[in-house]
Amino acid sequence: MIKPRDRIQAELMFLYGAEAAAEWWPRLAGRLDAFGRRHPHLRTARPHLDEGDIILITYGDQIRRPGEPPLQTLRHFLATELAGTVSGVHLLPCFPYSSDDGFSVIDYTRIDPALGTWADVGDLARSHRLMFDFVANHISQHSSWFQAYRRGEAPYRDFFIEADPNTDLSQVVRPRTTPLLTPVETAQGIRHVWTTFSADQMDLNYANPAVLLTMTEVLLHYVAHGASIIRLDAIAYLWKTIGTPCIHLPQTHAVVRLWRAVLDEVAPGVLLITETNVPHAENIAYFGRPLPDGSTDEAQMVYNFSLAPLTLHALRTGNAEKLSAWAATLQTPAPGTAFFNFIASHDGIGIRPAEGILTPTEIAGLVEQTLAHGGRVSYRNRGDGSPQVYELNTTVYDFLNDPLRPDPLAVPRFLAAQAILLILAGVPGIYIHSLFGSRNCHDCFAQTGQPRSLNRRKFTLDELQALLTATDSHAGPVFAGMNALLRERRRHPAFHPAAGQEILDVGRAVFAVRRTAKDESETMVCLVNVSSQAQSVSGWAQAGQVWHDRLSGRFYRQDELVLAPYGIAWLTPV
């Protein structure tokens, strides 16, 4: 077996050459040794995922209460309203920032005082598995690093990427329509700095080994403060080489492998997860290559980006065929790897992951419904400068349900979408707004002018509790339905991330999955009606066998099951 330290040195040589690797490896090794001495207990931990793992995605100040740090309010909400429902929390960036709701980080090592302290984060870590955001691609222009760059101070004068604006950069794959280069006043005059995402988010220069070493220290800082999952934000764009697409470059994968080896060395219980909003085949490449011990050498989890647009397409059309055909191809490359399944997050609903799966006409249908229901659409630049749909900016509830047309099937339709997410092999990620069926926040959009703000409303604890108890609101029934689904999922070994999965063909209007526990102690057939019509379902089990629906408590024979419009059944044999 190749030792983690040998893997690290191999990646350093690949990235920087033998001479530079020989110079920088002792510095990195010294950091690893010091970390190991301070945190010896982390060396003995091992990665672990099971059916009980459900991750809540939330901002640190998503729920606020007067006179209390929001991280403490979040902990209170988790303890009182979600006890036994979620096991982990993805804390979206909780550091001082200047824009993009936290993703333009000013200081990687501090907690935003408006949210609380590292002690508050530690309290959360004692009760929940924490996923930290590692915004590794870029840092705020207001950071001390970038201000030192502007002054020409070492070492930061080499921390960022400059390019001549006359350079041909047409091959660069863009996730935005904003300019790739931003002019900046420096002590040496105007310099044009690489900014993949916005003029406030300055890309870091990983071709400089000092940047890699410094960011590895940031990674270890998060582990020291309780992170058990590290999310590599926008990782696909990490390394830039002019004359290439600057996405998924071999050097980017090498950096991910190096960070995986770093964690394998000092904290093997900490998992890496990559966030790459790209077509499916490109996305799953971040699992990496097999290792002799049966694991892989990059991320243990990847975001399952194609799931969201395919689920919305199924429910928009009442036809699960595209979703089923794609799901039948899903497999992870090694034990201990898993998909991170989600259909809503703080960002929009990515459309690139549907490329090659949905037709242009089907994608246009998603766009049309988003706009008709009050949402927005964001675009990216193609290589020729023309715009292409990048993401849908809407809450899932409002995509599925027209805000201007009350519908008694609105809540069942929304819960059907969540059930699809929950039955697939992997670890579920639940955006906090999915707990309540939030509608688009048009006031939020008006305040920021950013389409993603439609899906980023913040609550006071009082207004959220009032919303959940209001008799004229769908939020209470959604919350009750979500809690029931999440609690039931955690009870069954058939939902282990590595449990067997078979996609069943029981008709175009029903998404059907058979899950089998790793030790074969449990089999569960999960059925979701994606249409507004009742569906008689057959062909999913042996005729005459009795099955127990774990959600409704009812008993069925295979030949008598009828799913209500948007009905859900999780069935185990009696």
Side-chain angles (χ1 to χ4, degrees), residues 128 237 326 400 409 441 455 467:
H128 291 80
Y237 303 94
W326 166 80
L400 294 173
L409 293 177
C441 183
N455 192 31
L467 184 67

Side-chain angles (χ1 to χ4, degrees), residues 178-205:
T178 53
L180 178 61
L181 301 179
T182 297
V184 175
E185 183 71 48
T186 76
Q188 289 74 41
I190 296 294
R191 294 291 185 267
H192 290 80
V193 180
W194 202 290
T195 51
T196 297
F197 290 92
S198 81
D200 186 41
Q201 294 166 301
M202 325 311 288
D203 287 41
L204 292 163
N205 178 22

Side-chain angles (χ1 to χ4, degrees), residues 58-65 67-75 90-97 101-103 107 110-124 458:
T58 182
Y59 287 100
D61 62 348
Q62 196 79 59
I63 306 170
R64 293 168 285 191
R65 184 160 55 179
E68 181 176 66
L71 288 172
Q72 294 182 17
T73 308
L74 174 62
R75 183 166 176 257
H90 169 202
L91 271 181
L92 291 158
C94 48
F95 318 109
Y97 70 98
D101 286 339
F103 283 89
D107 187 339
R110 294 174 52 229
I111 296 297
D112 186 344
L115 300 180
T117 66
W118 277 117
D120 295 320
V121 173
D123 287 341
L124 281 170
K458 307 291 178 69

Side-chain angles (χ1 to χ4, degrees), residues 415-541:
L415 292 176
Q418 306 304 314
I420 290 170
L421 153 70
L422 293 173
I423 61 182
L424 283 173
V427 176
I430 308 296
Y431 188 36
I432 193 166
H433 282 291
S434 294
L435 294 176
F436 324 124
S438 291
R439 289 199 175 278
N440 288 328
C441 183
H442 296 286
D443 288 344
C444 303
F445 173 57
Q447 289 171 9
T448 68
Q450 299 299 318
R452 285 179 170 177
S453 296
L454 288 166
N455 192 31
R456 294 180 176 180
R457 178 185 175 187
K458 307 291 178 69
F459 298 96
T460 68
L461 185 60
D462 286 346
E463 72 179 337
L464 180 56
Q465 290 175 334
L467 184 67
L468 293 176
T469 55
T471 57
D472 60 347
S473 169
H474 66 270
V478 167
F479 190 59
M482 286 295 293
N483 268 288
L485 288 171
L486 295 171
R487 289 176 185 275
E488 191 61 33
R489 187 191 190 281
R490 298 187 71 189
R491 295 189 179 107
H492 295 282
F495 287 131
H496 189 286
Q501 175 170 290
E502 179 187 2
I503 307 301
L504 307 177
D505 182 6
V506 297
R508 60 187 294 178
V510 177
F511 183 63
V513 182
R514 179 184 289 116
R515 300 294 308 278
T516 305
K518 293 173 63 179
D519 62 0
E520 300 186 351
S521 61
E522 182 181 61
T523 295
M524 180 174 288
V525 172
C526 304
L527 306 173
V528 181
N529 183 356
V530 301
S531 78
S532 59
Q533 305 297 317
Q535 299 292 324
S536 179
V537 188
S538 60
W540 50 273

Side-chain angles (χ1 to χ4, degrees), residues 108-189:
Y108 290 112
T109 63
R110 294 174 52 229
I111 296 297
D112 186 344
L115 300 180
T117 66
W118 277 117
D120 295 320
V121 173
D123 287 341
L124 281 170
R126 278 185 279 277
S127 58
H128 291 80
R129 169 177 267 176
L130 290 190
M131 181 192 297
F132 277 29
D133 251 301
F134 187 20
V135 188
N137 183 73
H138 49 261
I139 194 169
S140 168
Q141 65 168 321
H142 300 284
S143 65
S144 61
W145 295 7
F146 192 71
Q147 293 308 308
Y149 158 80
R150 293 181 63 197
R151 295 189 296 268
E153 297 172 3
Y156 301 105
R157 62 189 175 212
D158 299 316
F159 265 45
F160 301 92
I161 305 166
E162 299 177 358
D164 185 330
N166 296 314
T167 303
D168 181 5
L169 299 174
S170 60
Q171 291 188 55
V172 177
V173 173
R174 298 302 318 285
R176 299 287 185 273
T177 56
T178 53
L180 178 61
L181 301 179
T182 297
V184 175
E185 183 71 48
T186 76
Q188 289 74 41

Side-chain angles (χ1 to χ4, degrees), residues 15-16 108 134-138 158-159 161 203-213 215-216 235 238-240 255 259:
L15 290 168
Y16 306 114
Y108 290 112
F134 187 20
V135 188
N137 183 73
H138 49 261
D158 299 316
F159 265 45
I161 305 166
D203 287 41
L204 292 163
N205 178 22
Y206 281 86
N208 176 1
V211 171
L212 179 63
L213 179 65
M215 294 303 284
T216 303
I235 193 65
L238 194 74
W239 194 281
K240 286 81 177 177
V255 173
W259 281 335

